[in-house]
Amino acid sequence: HRQLRLVALEDQTVVLRLRSDRRDDLVTERTRTLSRLHVLLGELHPGGAEHKLTAARAAALLRRVHPITPVDLERKRIARELLTDVRRLDRQVKTASQAIGTAVRDHGTTLTQVYGVGPVLAAKLVGHAGDITRFPDRDHFASYTGTAPIEASSGDRRRHRLNRGGNRQLNCALHLIAVCQIRDPSPGQAYYRRKLAEAKTPEEARRSLKRHLSNVVHAHLTADHRRRTPPS
């Protein structure tokens, strides 16, 4: 069938997806371990630990804790183990981020030219989009990213609802870019303010910006593909 994709060898986009997913796993594990450590420090130290806990702050707090009871001694022992895990995960996340930066530079994507897109988000976008030619146009790509609203009209009343489908990794990446652009002076901030001036709610304006950013990402990925593909 003409609409079916041709079988092709896996390319560099798969490498970027694998490295992006691996870094996400490490960050998730670090957050979970840090949360466990935060709970133990709250039980060991009056007033608990700071909300934004780091390995250095946890170590400083543990040095001030001098448990007496067997229970608190065990709490401190486990807290030290968790602190060792956090430090290891910090190193692994840093190494994974550096590897992603190198892979993104080697790939040569222009997505890092978009405001708010660094190597980590670029790797996620390229990796999870895959072969951009499998999307006939930017509207199909927006549907895949979950940024295209779904029509939910009834009778004469026309309305649309939020699309909760699509690739959630791409949707999350576009959300992060949108939040960054709304916060800082950027083309996205100007776009967002125009939507507010059109009487859209902040949430509706943000969704519109995500849809617009999906088009921007599609344009960059398409241009990158054309640049790398020799003319026939």
Side-chain angles (χ1 to χ4, degrees), residues 13 23 154 232:
T13 63
R23 183 185 181 277
S154 177
S232 54

Coordinates of all heavy atoms in Angstrom, one line a residue, residues 13 23 154 232:
T13 N 18.6 8.9 14.9 CA 17.5 9.4 15.7 C 17.2 8.4 16.8 O 16.8 8.8 17.9 CB 16.3 9.6 14.9 OG1 15.8 8.4 14.2 CG2 16.5 10.7 13.8
R23 N 18.6 9.0 30.1 CA 18.7 10.1 31.1 C 17.5 10.4 31.9 O 17.5 10.7 33.1 CB 19.1 11.4 30.3 CG 19.4 12.6 31.2 CD 19.6 13.9 30.4 NE 19.9 15.0 31.3 CZ 18.9 15.7 31.9 NH1 17.6 15.4 31.7 NH2 19.2 16.7 32.7
S154 N -21.2 19.3 18.9 CA -22.5 18.7 19.1 C -23.6 19.6 18.5 O -23.8 20.7 19.0 CB -22.7 18.5 20.6 OG -24.0 17.9 20.8
S232 N 18.2 13.7 -5.6 CA 18.2 12.5 -6.5 C 18.4 12.9 -7.9 O 18.1 14.1 -8.3 CB 16.9 11.8 -6.3 OG 15.8 12.6 -6.5

